[in-house]
Amino acid sequence: MTVLVTGGAGYIGSHTCLELLKEGHKVVVADNLCNASAKSLERVSRLAGGEEIPFVNCDLRDEEQLEALFQRWSIDCVIHFAGLKAVGESVAKPLAYYDNNLNSTITLCRVMERHGVKKIVFSSSATVYSGDNQMPLSEQSKTGSCTNPYGWTKFMCEQILRDLAKADPDWTVVLLRYFNPVGAHESGLIGEDPKGVPNNLMPFISQTAIGRRSCLSVFGNDYDTHDGTGVRDYIHVVDLARGHVAALDFLMKEKGEGVFNLGTGVGYSVLDMVHAFERANGVPVPYQIVDRRPGDLATVYSTPEKSRRELGWEATHSLEDMCRDSWNWQSKNPQGYESEE
Ligand code: NAD
Ligand code: WQD
């Protein structure tokens, strides 16, 4: 099968391209590199035994370029990762987020429809769940009441795709709600390379361990959790990538809409993560406790039961794997893809 992977040069996209190639699929990548490096795809290609990865440097809102892409390659289905994802930035620049994430999705679907390609997997997020749910979160848990524009873009894109599947029974739409992706491919050749100061915990931990940051700020230790720090469902990015391969099987067999959590079902606190990282890698992670970060919840974790049952997928990597592989990537590439080879 030939899969168009939008945002395929990014963190989760690059790992997914590799898993798709390993399973014998062909991939075509469209990415405007606004938050990625084309080096990631060179490395994916190397890891896949030199397999060629056609790459189109384009903004998904550019309908002409997308049209040309669909004319050039015979695409069977699309995995749509492309999007802006920084929560804080979305609060400061809501229009940029709504424009990029909604218009990319709408333009992509319009071109897909014109070419009779009506199968899409969409990168959604645990952030679409309302803050007042009981844990664990299942796909039935309440959504909406998002706390930032980024979250709303995911919520709205889900709705757009659902409406599309409702209007035309030939569409199949799979909405994958990721929890907290961390880690890297075990080779250390591809990984997460955030621009500027990382927003997320794991890249902050590994950049602190390598000395790029002096100290991790732990956002609050007075939550109602086992050690007072926030609890999340961290999932190894390779498990997440494999979840997409599993979703493709569903996409080809089923019609309509499928929504699935991709998490492990286990929650770890910020301090659990710090100590697991230190243990797995034998490096210190200096930290200080600071005020809570506005908008954070005490505890968020999934039940991945539906994905296990209906996609035949489950996470297999441990917390130690996540910490070891994050550090392997970080220590081999201290400045991310800009590091010398
Ligand atoms: P990423 O920033 O590494 O990847 C996104 C890619 O999309 C980047 O390569 C970027 O250059 C590209 N892109 C953005 N806007 C584009 C546009 N208009 N046209 C073409 N390319 C564009 O992020 P990621 O962590 O790999 O996330 C992938 C997807 O998964 C995103 O949609 C994100 O919202 C979603 N997601 C991520 C997380 C997470 O914690 N990493 C959690 C839940 C959901
Ligand atoms: C995890 C825990 C923080 C950084 C975000 C998005 C969500 C999804 C995943 C895309 C929390 C604590 C963090 C730091 C800290 N992304 N922390 N010091 O907030 O669960 O989810 O990324 O869809 O939409 O909101 O992830 O990694 O930012 O935080 O103490 O420097 O680590 O308070 O408890 P979060 P995170």
Side-chain angles (χ1 to χ4, degrees):
M1 215 156 41
T2 302
V3 185
L4 170 61
V5 183
T6 78
Y11 172 44
I12 306 171
S14 55
H15 288 82
T16 303
C17 285
L18 179 58
E19 294 305 311
L20 290 167
L21 292 170
K22 278 167 59 184
E23 290 299 315
H25 298 297
K26 302 239 170 289
V27 302
V28 175
V29 169
D31 196 308
N32 66 1
L33 302 181
C34 68
N35 196 38
S37 161
K39 277 191 193 161
S40 65
L41 294 175
E42 288 166 23
R43 295 192 180 178
V44 170
S45 173
R46 209 198 298 174
L47 287 168
E51 181 106 20
E52 192 211 351
I53 303 176
F55 169 58
V56 179
N57 185 340
C58 78
D59 192 303
L60 285 193
R61 291 166 293 180
D62 184 336
E63 192 154 351
E64 266 178 39
Q65 286 211 58
L66 264 191
E67 178 61 36
L69 185 158
F70 274 82
Q71 277 176 18
R72 173 149 182 212
W73 286 280
S74 176
I75 304 294
D76 296 299
C77 62
V78 177
I79 304 182
H80 179 34
F81 291 106
L84 300 176
K85 63 160 186 179
V87 169
E89 187 183 54
S90 81
V91 175
K93 300 179 185 170
L95 286 182
Y97 270 68
Y98 286 115
D99 178 19
N100 192 77
N101 292 1
L102 297 185
N103 286 325
S104 292
T105 304
I106 292 168
T107 307
L108 172 66
C109 290
R110 197 158 48 220
V111 178
M112 287 174 68
E113 190 155 55
R114 209 180 293 138
H115 288 264
V117 180
K118 296 183 177 180
K119 294 180 183 304
I120 187 168
V121 176
F122 176 65
S123 294
S124 190
S125 168
T127 196
V128 301
Y129 290 114
S130 310
D132 54 355
N133 284 297
Q134 295 287 322
M135 294 299 138
L137 294 167
S138 83
E139 293 79 354
Q140 308 288 312
S141 297
K142 199 164 96 193
T143 59
S145 321
C146 302
T147 51
N148 56 75
Y150 165 72
W152 280 118
T153 68
K154 291 291 164 190
F155 180 87
M156 290 177 190
C157 284
E158 283 201 359
Q159 188 62 43
I160 291 168
L161 293 170
R162 279 213 186 89
D163 286 343
L164 205 52
K166 215 179 282 169
D168 177 351
D170 287 341
W171 273 91
T172 315
V173 165
V174 176
L175 310 172
L176 298 180
R177 294 179 179 156
Y178 315 154
F179 282 69
N180 292 60
V182 295
H185 187 262
E186 61 176 4
S187 63
L189 282 176
I190 55 175
E192 184 171 14
D193 182 17
K195 293 201 161 94
V197 181
N199 300 302
N200 295 114
L201 177 65
M202 188 56 115
F204 209 109
I205 289 180
S206 57
Q207 289 193 10
T208 304
I210 201 88
R212 273 174 74 177
R213 316 269 156 214
S214 57
C215 182
L216 167 74
S217 293
V218 174
F219 298 140
N221 66 349
D222 55 354
Y223 287 106
D224 183 15
T225 61
H226 63 274
D227 60 15
T229 67
V231 166
R232 296 292 182 273
D233 184 340
Y234 297 93
I235 175 168
H236 195 293
V237 66
V238 171
D239 281 327
L240 192 68
R242 290 180 184 155
H244 293 74
V245 179
L248 281 195
D249 293 339
F250 180 93
L251 197 66
M252 301 321 282
K253 282 193 216 120
E254 308 286 333
K255 290 270 183 231
E257 162 208 324
V259 49
F260 299 99
N261 283 342
L262 295 183
T264 64
V266 180
Y268 292 107
S269 73
V270 177
L271 291 182
D272 289 338
M273 297 302 286
V274 168
H275 296 136
F277 191 95
E278 292 180 325
R279 248 194 332 270
N281 301 312
V283 286
V285 179
Y287 70 86
Q288 58 176 345
I289 308 291
V290 301
D291 287 347
R292 290 182 177 194
R293 184 171 65 178
D296 273 353
L297 296 173
T299 301
V300 180
Y301 63 95
S302 67
T303 166
E305 191 46 42
K306 184 178 178 209
S307 302
R308 194 156 70 84
R309 210 174 48 242
E310 294 186 27
L311 300 180
W313 167 90
E314 68 186 325
T316 59
H317 289 77
S318 65
L319 179 59
E320 191 184 345
D321 297 334
M322 300 181 211
C323 292
R324 190 199 53 229
D325 292 339
S326 290
W327 179 239
N328 188 35
W329 154 255
Q330 183 71 71
S331 50
K332 284 184 173 153
N333 308 270
Q335 303 297 327
Y337 288 109
E338 295 314 311
S339 308
E340 293 300 313
E341 297 228 343

mmCIF file of all heavy atoms in Angstrom, residues 58-93:
data_model
loop_
_atom_site.group_PDB
_atom_site.id
_atom_site.type_symbol
_atom_site.label_atom_id
_atom_site.label_comp_id
_atom_site.label_asym_id
_atom_site.label_seq_id
_atom_site.Cartn_x
_atom_site.Cartn_y
_atom_site.Cartn_z
ATOM 1 N N CYS A 58 6.003 20.861 1.241
ATOM 2 C CA CYS A 58 4.870 21.750 0.957
ATOM 3 C C CYS A 58 4.008 21.966 2.188
ATOM 4 O O CYS A 58 3.982 21.140 3.105
ATOM 5 C CB CYS A 58 4.017 21.221 -0.201
ATOM 6 S SG CYS A 58 2.914 19.887 0.206
ATOM 7 N N ASP A 59 3.341 23.108 2.179
ATOM 8 C CA ASP A 59 2.372 23.404 3.226
ATOM 9 C C ASP A 59 1.058 22.745 2.818
ATOM 10 O O ASP A 59 0.621 22.884 1.672
ATOM 11 C CB ASP A 59 2.212 24.933 3.326
ATOM 12 C CG ASP A 59 1.449 25.324 4.571
ATOM 13 O OD1 ASP A 59 0.303 24.846 4.754
ATOM 14 O OD2 ASP A 59 1.995 26.103 5.371
ATOM 15 N N LEU A 60 0.451 22.050 3.749
ATOM 16 C CA LEU A 60 -0.777 21.308 3.396
ATOM 17 C C LEU A 60 -1.933 22.225 3.025
ATOM 18 O O LEU A 60 -2.929 21.789 2.477
ATOM 19 C CB LEU A 60 -1.223 20.425 4.560
ATOM 20 C CG LEU A 60 -0.427 19.157 4.808
ATOM 21 C CD1 LEU A 60 -1.190 18.285 5.770
ATOM 22 C CD2 LEU A 60 -0.139 18.396 3.547
ATOM 23 N N ARG A 61 -1.808 23.505 3.360
ATOM 24 C CA ARG A 61 -2.869 24.436 2.965
ATOM 25 C C ARG A 61 -2.727 24.850 1.506
ATOM 26 O O ARG A 61 -3.605 25.522 0.971
ATOM 27 C CB ARG A 61 -2.823 25.681 3.870
ATOM 28 C CG ARG A 61 -3.233 25.382 5.300
ATOM 29 C CD ARG A 61 -2.859 26.524 6.221
ATOM 30 N NE ARG A 61 -1.409 26.650 6.332
ATOM 31 C CZ ARG A 61 -0.780 27.557 7.057
ATOM 32 N NH1 ARG A 61 -1.476 28.435 7.744
ATOM 33 N NH2 ARG A 61 0.543 27.606 7.108
ATOM 34 N N ASP A 62 -1.632 24.438 0.871
ATOM 35 C CA ASP A 62 -1.382 24.793 -0.527
ATOM 36 C C ASP A 62 -2.025 23.727 -1.424
ATOM 37 O O ASP A 62 -1.434 22.681 -1.707
ATOM 38 C CB ASP A 62 0.138 24.887 -0.751
ATOM 39 C CG ASP A 62 0.488 25.338 -2.149
ATOM 40 O OD1 ASP A 62 -0.332 25.147 -3.062
ATOM 41 O OD2 ASP A 62 1.592 25.876 -2.315
ATOM 42 N N GLU A 63 -3.228 24.025 -1.875
ATOM 43 C CA GLU A 63 -4.020 23.020 -2.590
ATOM 44 C C GLU A 63 -3.365 22.589 -3.908
ATOM 45 O O GLU A 63 -3.425 21.430 -4.284
ATOM 46 C CB GLU A 63 -5.438 23.574 -2.835
ATOM 47 C CG GLU A 63 -6.406 22.518 -3.291
ATOM 48 C CD GLU A 63 -7.858 22.840 -2.940
ATOM 49 O OE1 GLU A 63 -8.116 23.803 -2.192
ATOM 50 O OE2 GLU A 63 -8.733 22.096 -3.422
ATOM 51 N N GLU A 64 -2.722 23.552 -4.572
ATOM 52 C CA GLU A 64 -2.091 23.216 -5.867
ATOM 53 C C GLU A 64 -0.982 22.190 -5.692
ATOM 54 O O GLU A 64 -0.866 21.241 -6.470
ATOM 55 C CB GLU A 64 -1.488 24.479 -6.491
ATOM 56 C CG GLU A 64 -2.434 25.156 -7.457
ATOM 57 C CD GLU A 64 -1.826 26.431 -8.026
ATOM 58 O OE1 GLU A 64 -0.620 26.448 -8.314
ATOM 59 O OE2 GLU A 64 -2.582 27.410 -8.145
ATOM 60 N N GLN A 65 -0.168 22.401 -4.679
ATOM 61 C CA GLN A 65 0.939 21.459 -4.455
ATOM 62 C C GLN A 65 0.428 20.086 -4.041
ATOM 63 O O GLN A 65 0.953 19.061 -4.453
ATOM 64 C CB GLN A 65 1.875 21.997 -3.380
ATOM 65 C CG GLN A 65 2.720 23.141 -3.866
ATOM 66 C CD GLN A 65 4.082 23.162 -3.139
ATOM 67 O OE1 GLN A 65 4.820 22.197 -3.184
ATOM 68 N NE2 GLN A 65 4.364 24.256 -2.480
ATOM 69 N N LEU A 66 -0.634 20.093 -3.249
ATOM 70 C CA LEU A 66 -1.207 18.796 -2.841
ATOM 71 C C LEU A 66 -1.804 18.068 -4.040
ATOM 72 O O LEU A 66 -1.675 16.851 -4.183
ATOM 73 C CB LEU A 66 -2.315 19.012 -1.807
ATOM 74 C CG LEU A 66 -1.976 18.897 -0.342
ATOM 75 C CD1 LEU A 66 -3.262 18.878 0.474
ATOM 76 C CD2 LEU A 66 -1.166 17.632 -0.051
ATOM 77 N N GLU A 67 -2.467 18.863 -4.875
ATOM 78 C CA GLU A 67 -3.064 18.309 -6.091
ATOM 79 C C GLU A 67 -1.973 17.630 -6.938
ATOM 80 O O GLU A 67 -2.138 16.493 -7.406
ATOM 81 C CB GLU A 67 -3.754 19.457 -6.856
ATOM 82 C CG GLU A 67 -4.402 19.092 -8.175
ATOM 83 C CD GLU A 67 -5.518 18.055 -8.058
ATOM 84 O OE1 GLU A 67 -6.259 18.079 -7.049
ATOM 85 O OE2 GLU A 67 -5.614 17.221 -8.978
ATOM 86 N N ALA A 68 -0.851 18.323 -7.095
ATOM 87 C CA ALA A 68 0.257 17.774 -7.898
ATOM 88 C C ALA A 68 0.771 16.480 -7.263
ATOM 89 O O ALA A 68 1.090 15.513 -7.967
ATOM 90 C CB ALA A 68 1.375 18.809 -8.001
ATOM 91 N N LEU A 69 0.826 16.477 -5.946
ATOM 92 C CA LEU A 69 1.296 15.265 -5.249
ATOM 93 C C LEU A 69 0.370 14.078 -5.549
ATOM 94 O O LEU A 69 0.827 12.985 -5.891
ATOM 95 C CB LEU A 69 1.359 15.544 -3.746
ATOM 96 C CG LEU A 69 1.923 14.479 -2.820
ATOM 97 C CD1 LEU A 69 2.390 15.139 -1.512
ATOM 98 C CD2 LEU A 69 0.973 13.344 -2.489
ATOM 99 N N PHE A 70 -0.936 14.309 -5.451
ATOM 100 C CA PHE A 70 -1.885 13.213 -5.686
ATOM 101 C C PHE A 70 -1.894 12.790 -7.156
ATOM 102 O O PHE A 70 -2.250 11.661 -7.468
ATOM 103 C CB PHE A 70 -3.298 13.601 -5.212
ATOM 104 C CG PHE A 70 -3.511 13.332 -3.752
ATOM 105 C CD1 PHE A 70 -3.071 14.227 -2.786
ATOM 106 C CD2 PHE A 70 -4.147 12.160 -3.317
ATOM 107 C CE1 PHE A 70 -3.256 13.985 -1.423
ATOM 108 C CE2 PHE A 70 -4.338 11.903 -1.961
ATOM 109 C CZ PHE A 70 -3.890 12.819 -1.021
ATOM 110 N N GLN A 71 -1.533 13.729 -8.061
ATOM 111 C CA GLN A 71 -1.452 13.332 -9.472
ATOM 112 C C GLN A 71 -0.207 12.494 -9.734
ATOM 113 O O GLN A 71 -0.211 11.589 -10.549
ATOM 114 C CB GLN A 71 -1.448 14.579 -10.359
ATOM 115 C CG GLN A 71 -2.863 15.080 -10.596
ATOM 116 C CD GLN A 71 -2.926 16.370 -11.385
ATOM 117 O OE1 GLN A 71 -1.962 16.752 -12.046
ATOM 118 N NE2 GLN A 71 -4.049 17.042 -11.300
ATOM 119 N N ARG A 72 0.853 12.797 -9.002
ATOM 120 C CA ARG A 72 2.121 12.118 -9.261
ATOM 121 C C ARG A 72 2.160 10.706 -8.657
ATOM 122 O O ARG A 72 2.698 9.782 -9.248
ATOM 123 C CB ARG A 72 3.254 12.981 -8.692
ATOM 124 C CG ARG A 72 4.576 12.327 -8.748
ATOM 125 C CD ARG A 72 5.705 13.305 -8.907
ATOM 126 N NE ARG A 72 6.944 12.580 -8.996
ATOM 127 C CZ ARG A 72 8.107 13.027 -8.554
ATOM 128 N NH1 ARG A 72 8.174 14.229 -8.013
ATOM 129 N NH2 ARG A 72 9.191 12.304 -8.666
ATOM 130 N N TRP A 73 1.633 10.566 -7.447
ATOM 131 C CA TRP A 73 1.674 9.255 -6.791
ATOM 132 C C TRP A 73 0.268 8.710 -6.615
ATOM 133 O O TRP A 73 -0.677 9.472 -6.364
ATOM 134 C CB TRP A 73 2.338 9.347 -5.414
ATOM 135 C CG TRP A 73 3.818 9.521 -5.508
ATOM 136 C CD1 TRP A 73 4.758 8.553 -5.740
ATOM 137 C CD2 TRP A 73 4.555 10.749 -5.362
ATOM 138 N NE1 TRP A 73 6.012 9.088 -5.750
ATOM 139 C CE2 TRP A 73 5.928 10.441 -5.520
ATOM 140 C CE3 TRP A 73 4.197 12.065 -5.117
ATOM 141 C CZ2 TRP A 73 6.921 11.404 -5.450
ATOM 142 C CZ3 TRP A 73 5.185 13.023 -5.041
ATOM 143 C CH2 TRP A 73 6.523 12.697 -5.204
ATOM 144 N N SER A 74 0.158 7.412 -6.714
ATOM 145 C CA SER A 74 -1.141 6.775 -6.511
ATOM 146 C C SER A 74 -1.266 6.424 -5.024
ATOM 147 O O SER A 74 -0.732 5.421 -4.557
ATOM 148 C CB SER A 74 -1.193 5.528 -7.401
ATOM 149 O OG SER A 74 -2.367 4.862 -7.158
ATOM 150 N N ILE A 75 -1.932 7.297 -4.300
ATOM 151 C CA ILE A 75 -2.019 7.167 -2.839
ATOM 152 C C ILE A 75 -3.226 6.283 -2.473
ATOM 153 O O ILE A 75 -4.317 6.469 -3.006
ATOM 154 C CB ILE A 75 -2.197 8.565 -2.188
ATOM 155 C CG1 ILE A 75 -1.064 9.519 -2.587
ATOM 156 C CG2 ILE A 75 -2.359 8.471 -0.676
ATOM 157 C CD1 ILE A 75 0.306 9.165 -2.078
ATOM 158 N N ASP A 76 -3.014 5.333 -1.549
ATOM 159 C CA ASP A 76 -4.135 4.490 -1.095
ATOM 160 C C ASP A 76 -4.820 5.052 0.139
ATOM 161 O O ASP A 76 -6.026 4.895 0.319
ATOM 162 C CB ASP A 76 -3.620 3.074 -0.779
ATOM 163 C CG ASP A 76 -3.094 2.387 -2.037
ATOM 164 O OD1 ASP A 76 -3.895 2.209 -2.974
ATOM 165 O OD2 ASP A 76 -1.888 2.068 -2.087
ATOM 166 N N CYS A 77 -4.020 5.636 1.035
ATOM 167 C CA CYS A 77 -4.616 6.199 2.257
ATOM 168 C C CYS A 77 -3.643 7.205 2.863
ATOM 169 O O CYS A 77 -2.490 7.296 2.425
ATOM 170 C CB CYS A 77 -4.940 5.097 3.263
ATOM 171 S SG CYS A 77 -3.494 4.216 3.813
ATOM 172 N N VAL A 78 -4.126 7.939 3.844
ATOM 173 C CA VAL A 78 -3.331 9.042 4.410
ATOM 174 C C VAL A 78 -3.238 8.901 5.939
ATOM 175 O O VAL A 78 -4.236 8.568 6.591
ATOM 176 C CB VAL A 78 -3.989 10.406 4.071
ATOM 177 C CG1 VAL A 78 -3.226 11.567 4.702
ATOM 178 C CG2 VAL A 78 -4.082 10.597 2.549
ATOM 179 N N ILE A 79 -2.033 9.124 6.465
ATOM 180 C CA ILE A 79 -1.888 9.317 7.920
ATOM 181 C C ILE A 79 -1.519 10.789 8.106
ATOM 182 O O ILE A 79 -0.502 11.258 7.591
ATOM 183 C CB ILE A 79 -0.816 8.396 8.537
ATOM 184 C CG1 ILE A 79 -1.118 6.922 8.220
ATOM 185 C CG2 ILE A 79 -0.756 8.612 10.047
ATOM 186 C CD1 ILE A 79 -0.132 5.938 8.844
ATOM 187 N N HIS A 80 -2.372 11.495 8.825
ATOM 188 C CA HIS A 80 -2.278 12.960 8.881
ATOM 189 C C HIS A 80 -1.729 13.436 10.235
ATOM 190 O O HIS A 80 -2.468 13.641 11.190
ATOM 191 C CB HIS A 80 -3.682 13.524 8.629
ATOM 192 C CG HIS A 80 -3.771 15.011 8.666
ATOM 193 N ND1 HIS A 80 -2.765 15.846 8.249
ATOM 194 C CD2 HIS A 80 -4.789 15.836 9.069
ATOM 195 C CE1 HIS A 80 -3.146 17.103 8.407
ATOM 196 N NE2 HIS A 80 -4.359 17.121 8.910
ATOM 197 N N PHE A 81 -0.389 13.608 10.267
ATOM 198 C CA PHE A 81 0.282 14.103 11.473
ATOM 199 C C PHE A 81 0.474 15.619 11.450
ATOM 200 O O PHE A 81 0.694 16.213 12.501
ATOM 201 C CB PHE A 81 1.707 13.519 11.578
ATOM 202 C CG PHE A 81 1.788 12.058 11.863
ATOM 203 C CD1 PHE A 81 2.142 11.150 10.867
ATOM 204 C CD2 PHE A 81 1.543 11.566 13.137
ATOM 205 C CE1 PHE A 81 2.247 9.803 11.136
ATOM 206 C CE2 PHE A 81 1.645 10.210 13.415
ATOM 207 C CZ PHE A 81 2.001 9.328 12.408
ATOM 208 N N ALA A 82 0.492 16.215 10.235
ATOM 209 C CA ALA A 82 0.937 17.609 10.138
ATOM 210 C C ALA A 82 0.069 18.519 10.996
ATOM 211 O O ALA A 82 -1.158 18.477 10.919
ATOM 212 C CB ALA A 82 0.904 18.067 8.684
ATOM 213 N N GLY A 83 0.721 19.349 11.787
ATOM 214 C CA GLY A 83 -0.016 20.287 12.624
ATOM 215 C C GLY A 83 0.939 20.966 13.577
ATOM 216 O O GLY A 83 2.060 20.501 13.793
ATOM 217 N N LEU A 84 0.488 22.084 14.113
ATOM 218 C CA LEU A 84 1.240 22.764 15.165
ATOM 219 C C LEU A 84 0.753 22.199 16.495
ATOM 220 O O LEU A 84 -0.436 21.918 16.660
ATOM 221 C CB LEU A 84 0.989 24.275 15.095
ATOM 222 C CG LEU A 84 1.400 24.958 13.783
ATOM 223 C CD1 LEU A 84 1.008 26.443 13.802
ATOM 224 C CD2 LEU A 84 2.900 24.806 13.536
ATOM 225 N N LYS A 85 1.658 22.066 17.471
ATOM 226 C CA LYS A 85 1.281 21.291 18.670
ATOM 227 C C LYS A 85 1.672 21.904 20.005
ATOM 228 O O LYS A 85 1.544 21.247 21.035
ATOM 229 C CB LYS A 85 1.875 19.891 18.564
ATOM 230 C CG LYS A 85 3.391 19.905 18.540
ATOM 231 C CD LYS A 85 4.001 18.580 18.925
ATOM 232 C CE LYS A 85 5.496 18.690 19.031
ATOM 233 N NZ LYS A 85 6.179 17.497 19.409
ATOM 234 N N ALA A 86 2.174 23.140 20.008
ATOM 235 C CA ALA A 86 2.623 23.698 21.283
ATOM 236 C C ALA A 86 1.464 24.412 21.988
ATOM 237 O O ALA A 86 0.950 25.421 21.494
ATOM 238 C CB ALA A 86 3.791 24.648 21.072
ATOM 239 N N VAL A 87 1.092 23.865 23.137
ATOM 240 C CA VAL A 87 -0.083 24.360 23.854
ATOM 241 C C VAL A 87 0.041 25.853 24.182
ATOM 242 O O VAL A 87 -0.849 26.653 23.869
ATOM 243 C CB VAL A 87 -0.288 23.531 25.143
ATOM 244 C CG1 VAL A 87 -1.315 24.165 26.052
ATOM 245 C CG2 VAL A 87 -0.677 22.098 24.793
ATOM 246 N N GLY A 88 1.158 26.253 24.779
ATOM 247 C CA GLY A 88 1.346 27.651 25.195
ATOM 248 C C GLY A 88 1.322 28.586 23.999
ATOM 249 O O GLY A 88 0.698 29.658 24.041
ATOM 250 N N GLU A 89 1.997 28.186 22.921
ATOM 251 C CA GLU A 89 2.038 29.018 21.721
ATOM 252 C C GLU A 89 0.631 29.197 21.147
ATOM 253 O O GLU A 89 0.277 30.247 20.628
ATOM 254 C CB GLU A 89 2.958 28.352 20.686
ATOM 255 C CG GLU A 89 3.219 29.197 19.469
ATOM 256 C CD GLU A 89 4.077 28.480 18.422
ATOM 257 O OE1 GLU A 89 3.709 27.353 18.012
ATOM 258 O OE2 GLU A 89 5.083 29.045 18.014
ATOM 259 N N SER A 90 -0.180 28.151 21.284
ATOM 260 C CA SER A 90 -1.542 28.229 20.727
ATOM 261 C C SER A 90 -2.390 29.247 21.487
ATOM 262 O O SER A 90 -3.291 29.859 20.931
ATOM 263 C CB SER A 90 -2.220 26.850 20.716
ATOM 264 O OG SER A 90 -2.749 26.512 21.987
ATOM 265 N N VAL A 91 -2.080 29.438 22.771
ATOM 266 C CA VAL A 91 -2.806 30.437 23.561
ATOM 267 C C VAL A 91 -2.398 31.834 23.093
ATOM 268 O O VAL A 91 -3.229 32.729 22.957
ATOM 269 C CB VAL A 91 -2.512 30.257 25.077
ATOM 270 C CG1 VAL A 91 -3.167 31.352 25.892
ATOM 271 C CG2 VAL A 91 -2.979 28.883 25.542
ATOM 272 N N ALA A 92 -1.097 31.992 22.785
ATOM 273 C CA ALA A 92 -0.598 33.299 22.346
ATOM 274 C C ALA A 92 -0.976 33.600 20.904
ATOM 275 O O ALA A 92 -1.160 34.756 20.543
ATOM 276 C CB ALA A 92 0.921 33.345 22.512
ATOM 277 N N LYS A 93 -1.069 32.555 20.061
ATOM 278 C CA LYS A 93 -1.316 32.765 18.626
ATOM 279 C C LYS A 93 -2.476 31.900 18.144
ATOM 280 O O LYS A 93 -2.278 30.975 17.320
ATOM 281 C CB LYS A 93 -0.066 32.380 17.829
ATOM 282 C CG LYS A 93 1.172 33.163 18.175
ATOM 283 C CD LYS A 93 2.323 32.639 17.316
ATOM 284 C CE LYS A 93 3.635 33.280 17.682
ATOM 285 N NZ LYS A 93 4.779 32.609 17.028
#
